[in-house]
């Protein structure tokens, strides 16, 4: 089977409904078709200088939520990036192959420096897309399912793989850009014109997978809706209601036109109550399983150790190949 690689940063105390519907649900489904590797990219998270204790906890929480959502550690490789040092080692080779101007043109970096000033940013953030390229290439991944916002970084990954292969001979698999039309793009409940985001959303705008069901229901009941009363899918005119319809449909499988029909003449209140029920029913088992896993961190760590061993078996071979190609002496 083709090889697939994907990861998320441990940058929040819990993943949210957007991460679940936009990424995790797909990851779980793709395990059947691909030899999949799923990574908690903790080295990437260091670019925002997290508190050490928070980073430790978030790394475990993220891994527990992958598992709770249905990532099967027997079928797929699940591990923490820093446990496979080959990622950072390959990143150095790729740094030496990346142009300064090329890295400067990455929009994620440009956006952050434009918003907060270049002096507030570190070299890690600048080199972030290169580490991401190393993550992918060190696993010989053919496919990388990501959202549209990652397209530019994936193009860089392909460019670096091709450049390396042209200069040093066939070494890396050049991965496909596989932009997943996200199952659903979930927006902020309080600011439905913007996406639900770990870093940008307010606490009430975001449904965390670890929120208790009462809190989840309350956040949905207090979601910002739109003027008027008609339940209709119209993201431009009715972003709030449309977001609730999207969430319902993605979790329940009922089509949006069918929801519009059923809620015709009923008003927003009814819709919110039902969306809250649907979300709580879908997320409760995920939450409970994640809490169980987190209650036994030693067991969770054991699982991650096994994942890291598997990841390193593959990564060490690719890294040795690359080291040799560039002229590094064989390690003693
Ligand atoms: P940050 O604010 O730190 O960028 P984030 O909430 O955007 O965090 P990421 O870690 O960047 O989350 O993304 C993890 C995965 O979740 C990616 O595959 C991304 O496409 C997906 N994702 C993130 N937010 C949403 C959303 N609101 N709707 C659908 N998918 C999302
Ligand atoms: Mg993001």
């Amino acid at each position: 089977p083709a090889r697939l690689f994907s990861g998320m940063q441990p940058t929040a105390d819990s993943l949210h409904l957007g991460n679940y519907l936009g990424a995790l649900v797909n990851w779980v489904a793709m395990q059947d078709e691909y030899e999949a590797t799923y990574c908690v990219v903790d080295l990437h998270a260091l670019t925002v200088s997290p508190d050490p204790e928070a980073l430790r906890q978030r790394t475990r929480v993220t891994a527990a939520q992958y598992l709770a959502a249905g990532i099967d550690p027997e079928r797929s490789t699940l591990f923490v990036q820093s446990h496979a040092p080959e990622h950072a080692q390959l990143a150095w080779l790729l740094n030496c192959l990346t142009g300064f101007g090329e890295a400067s043109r990455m929009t994620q970096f440009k956006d952050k420096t434009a918003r907060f000033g270049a002096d507030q940013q570190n070299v890690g953030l600048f080199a972030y897309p290169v580490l991401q390229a190393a993550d992918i290439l060190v696993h010989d991944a053919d496919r990388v399912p990501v959202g549209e916002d990652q397209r530019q970084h994936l193009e860089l990954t392909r460019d670096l793989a091709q450049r390396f292969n042209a200069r040093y001979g066939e070494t890396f698999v050049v991965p496909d850009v596989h932009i997943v039309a996200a199952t659903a793009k979930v927006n902020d409940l309080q600011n439905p014109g913007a996406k639900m985001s770990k870093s940008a959303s307010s606490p009430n705008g975001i449904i965390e997978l670890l929120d208790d069901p009462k809190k989840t229901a309350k956040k949905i009941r207090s979601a910002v809706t739109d003027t008027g009363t008609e339940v209709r899918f119209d993201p431009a005119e009715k972003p709030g209601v449309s977001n609730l319809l999207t969430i319902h449909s993605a979790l329940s499988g009922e089509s949006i036109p069918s929801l519009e029909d059923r809620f015709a003449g009923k008003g927003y209140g009814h819709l919110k109550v039902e969306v809250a029920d649907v979300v709580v029913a879908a997320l409760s088992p995920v939450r409970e399983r994640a809490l169980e896993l987190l209650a036994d961190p030693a067991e969770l760590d054991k699982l991650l150790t096994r994942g890291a061993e598997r990841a390193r078996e593959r990564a060490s071979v690719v890294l040795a190949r690359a080291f040799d190609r560039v002229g590094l002496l064989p390690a003693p």
Side-chain angles (χ1 to χ4, degrees):
R3 286 181 171 158
L4 180 147
F5 180 93
S6 206
M8 283 193 231
Q9 296 188 69
T11 43
D13 296 331
S14 172
L15 297 180
H16 57 69
L17 184 64
N19 302 137
Y20 181 72
L21 285 174
L24 277 179
V25 168
N26 283 320
W27 288 10
V28 170
M30 287 184 295
Q31 296 182 110
D32 296 331
E33 200 183 330
Y34 293 96
E35 182 183 329
T37 300
Y38 296 117
C39 188
V40 180
V41 292
D42 56 346
L43 297 176
H44 279 99
L46 286 175
T47 57
V48 294
S49 313
D51 168 69
E53 198 46 54
L55 178 61
R56 258 189 287 277
Q57 174 64 11
R58 289 167 174 185
T59 300
R60 289 203 180 96
V61 165
T62 305
Q65 291 182 330
Y66 286 7
L67 290 162
I71 299 300
D72 173 358
E74 297 302 324
R75 272 194 294 167
S76 302
T77 303
L78 164 67
F79 74 109
V80 174
Q81 185 186 30
S82 63
H83 290 174
E86 292 81 4
H87 288 236
Q89 290 175 287
L90 180 60
W92 183 256
L93 298 201
L94 299 179
N95 274 329
C96 297
L97 206 70
T98 307
F100 193 85
E102 190 175 32
S104 310
R105 284 191 293 275
M106 294 293 120
T107 52
Q108 180 179 293
F109 177 75
K110 284 203 305 195
D111 288 350
K112 282 209 175 176
T113 47
R115 260 193 294 159
F116 306 111
D119 289 346
Q120 298 304 312
Q121 304 306 331
N122 53 59
V123 174
L125 186 76
F126 183 65
Y128 182 112
V130 183
L131 178 57
Q132 192 177 342
D135 296 337
I136 296 163
L137 299 182
V138 88
H139 287 286
D140 273 347
D142 307 285
R143 282 232 160 177
V144 188
V146 289
E148 184 57 44
D149 60 328
Q150 292 299 312
R151 181 187 290 277
Q152 196 190 27
H153 288 174
L154 267 211
E155 293 292 352
L156 177 71
T157 302
R158 286 171 55 85
D159 288 347
L160 290 174
Q162 283 162 346
R163 194 175 305 161
F164 194 106
N165 289 348
R167 190 170 300 176
Y168 300 109
E170 277 307 306
T171 306
F172 294 122
V173 173
V174 181
D176 287 343
V177 178
H178 179 59
I179 302 295
V180 278
T183 331
K185 177 169 172 248
V186 179
N187 283 344
D188 188 315
L189 296 178
Q190 291 298 318
N191 178 20
K195 74 169 205 116
M196 188 178 286
S197 146
K198 286 185 262 172
S199 55
S201 293
S202 68
N204 284 331
I206 197 167
I207 296 172
E208 297 196 342
L209 301 188
L210 290 183
D211 278 343
D212 80 73
K214 283 204 189 86
K215 194 165 171 188
T216 300
K218 183 153 179 253
K219 285 182 184 180
I220 293 168
R221 283 198 307 272
S222 340
V224 167
T225 37
D226 315 289
T227 52
T229 54
E230 193 195 351
V231 173
R232 180 164 49 87
F233 187 77
D234 180 347
E237 293 293 316
K238 292 178 167 270
V241 170
S242 301
N243 190 35
L244 293 175
L245 288 169
T246 299
I247 292 171
H248 189 314
S249 175
L251 290 171
S252 67
E254 185 171 351
S255 73
I256 287 181
S258 159
L259 289 168
E260 286 174 329
D261 278 355
R262 262 199 318 109
F263 285 97
K266 282 199 175 146
Y268 299 156
H270 286 88
L271 175 65
K272 285 178 171 179
V273 169
E274 197 173 301
V275 171
D277 287 346
V278 167
V279 172
V280 166
L283 295 189
S284 288
V286 178
R287 169 177 183 266
E288 279 158 29
R289 180 76 187 115
L291 291 175
E292 260 169 48
L293 288 159
L294 289 165
D296 190 353
E299 188 57 34
L300 180 60
D301 288 356
K302 224 191 286 172
L303 226 142
L304 293 173
T305 302
R306 276 208 300 278
E309 284 163 2
R310 272 163 63 174
R312 295 197 69 187
E313 265 171 43
R314 193 161 57 215
S316 59
V317 173
V318 179
L319 183 73
R321 199 160 75 209
F323 271 21
D324 179 58
R325 289 283 156 79
V326 301
L328 300 176
L329 290 179

